[in-house]
Amino acid sequence: MPDTAFSVISPQKLASAVVFASPHSGTDYTDSFLAQSILGRQEIRSSEDAFVDLLFQAAPEFGAPLLKALKPRAYLDLNRSPDELDPAVIEGVQRRGQNPRVASGLGVIPRVVANGRAIYSGKLPLAEAEQRIHACWHPYHKALKGLLEQAHHQFGQAILVDCHSMPHEAVDAMAPRGAGKPEIVLGDRFGAAADSGVVDRIEAAFAAAGLKVARNTPFAGAYIAQTYGRPSRRQHAVQIEIDRALYMDEANVRPNANFEALRKLLRQVVAEIAVIGQEELPLAAE
């Protein structure tokens, strides 16, 4: 049902070419889904970008819409292609040249959550996988396309800011030896998904807030950045990863003592990102 797949928080007046989106912060863990899983509610939330939608909820105040998924990532991953089906968890799917994401259990219907913990004891029927994609994946992406088209029509360009969070251990494990560990990682697929000027502005907004920023390592952007980033058409996509340790207790999946301070800090970051491109607009007659 499309009305349960996502929510759009729209500004009173659209005033920004930027669209903020949070595809992995959904929390609608239905009883039927939990009954299918061998994991408890707390364990199954480990791959969720918990509270990211709340961190960016100020976007509409600055004229930009916020699109957020309602279904959890463990149920269906919106940052995957709908044909990234994992034969190890879905019946009737042929094994042939799976990409690394599918091979590791992170296809559109995930097989595992964080640390490789299996979600199910067996396989799901192909019909169920297709139903999830029909009911959740397609409505979310239709809404995302519509918001980007609206921005492009009104402002001559569209900038997707795809909001995520990353486990702190990923930063610890992959930061260059001797280098300061990033708190924010911007992914533009090494320039393929967004113009460098747009990414520079986004980086500057985070840096001005005192946050350490890196680009494309360890996360360069996945399906959404690859699909919607078309800088030659003035449609840009930048993935943002925030170190979860900045704002949450990862083990217990709850905000930590710094959550409100970070949300306040990100409100100013969002305000600065939302104005990107506005200076290029001609003055309109009232």
Side-chain angles (χ1 to χ4, degrees):
M1 288 73 68
D3 60 334
T4 65
F6 65 89
S7 174
V8 177
I9 305 174
S10 300
Q12 289 188 344
K13 179 183 179 181
L14 185 64
S16 174
V18 182
V19 174
F20 291 85
S22 179
H24 286 164
S25 58
T27 58
D28 183 12
Y29 293 89
T30 62
D31 290 341
S32 60
F33 173 51
L34 292 173
Q36 289 179 305
S37 176
I38 58 175
L39 299 176
R41 182 182 289 268
Q42 200 76 356
E43 294 174 304
I44 207 169
R45 294 191 67 190
S46 61
S47 61
E48 175 190 319
D49 288 348
F51 317 117
V52 164
D53 55 334
L54 300 179
L55 291 175
F56 288 90
Q57 69 178 7
E61 296 179 38
F62 303 103
L66 172 62
L67 169 67
K68 59 180 185 177
L70 300 181
K71 293 295 184 183
R73 180 185 188 182
Y75 180 79
L76 176 127
D77 193 334
L78 294 162
N79 200 19
R80 300 290 182 264
S81 167
D83 61 8
E84 289 187 79
L85 298 171
D86 183 352
V89 77
I90 302 169
E91 294 176 349
V93 175
Q94 293 184 356
R95 291 183 178 274
R96 55 169 182 266
Q98 278 81 37
N99 66 37
R101 293 191 295 262
V102 174
S104 63
L106 299 174
V108 65
I109 306 294
R111 171 166 39 94
V112 300
V113 294
N115 299 315
R117 290 172 290 183
I119 298 172
Y120 311 98
S121 60
K123 293 188 178 184
L124 299 173
L126 178 58
E128 175 163 350
E130 292 173 340
Q131 188 277 332
R132 292 186 190 184
I133 292 168
H134 172 75
C136 301
W137 193 98
H138 286 293
Y140 180 90
H141 282 272
K142 181 179 179 180
L144 179 54
K145 289 176 185 176
L147 290 170
L148 292 172
E149 288 171 359
Q150 179 185 41
H152 203 286
H153 175 75
Q154 185 158 336
F155 302 103
Q157 67 175 326
I159 301 166
L160 170 60
V161 176
D162 201 45
C163 306
H164 298 259
S165 65
M166 54 188 175
H168 183 68
E169 65 180 18
V171 180
D172 273 344
M174 303 186 76
R177 183 175 297 177
K181 294 182 174 65
E183 296 165 311
I184 307 292
V185 175
L186 305 181
D188 65 355
R189 298 190 64 82
F190 299 94
D195 183 84
S196 61
V198 170
V199 188
D200 288 346
R201 291 283 300 274
I202 294 175
E203 180 173 351
F206 281 105
L211 295 163
K212 298 174 184 175
V213 186
R215 293 195 193 184
N216 294 309
T217 302
F219 303 106
Y223 174 82
I224 288 174
Q226 182 178 13
T227 301
Y228 295 99
R230 294 289 182 268
S232 64
R233 303 176 191 172
R234 294 178 62 80
Q235 180 168 294
H236 312 277
V238 180
Q239 178 178 283
I240 294 176
E241 298 275 1
I242 301 175
D243 182 353
R244 291 176 186 167
L246 290 178
Y247 71 91
M248 68 178 280
D249 173 347
E250 291 187 71
N252 295 297
V253 196
R254 63 189 180 199
N256 64 21
N258 193 51
F259 180 82
E260 288 301 332
L262 182 65
R263 180 157 63 169
K264 183 177 180 180
L265 194 67
L266 290 181
R267 184 177 184 276
Q268 182 57 40
V269 174
V270 166
E272 293 183 26
I273 292 174
V275 302
I276 296 174
Q278 288 186 8
E279 60 271 23
E280 301 173 13
L281 297 175
L283 294 175
E286 292 297 328

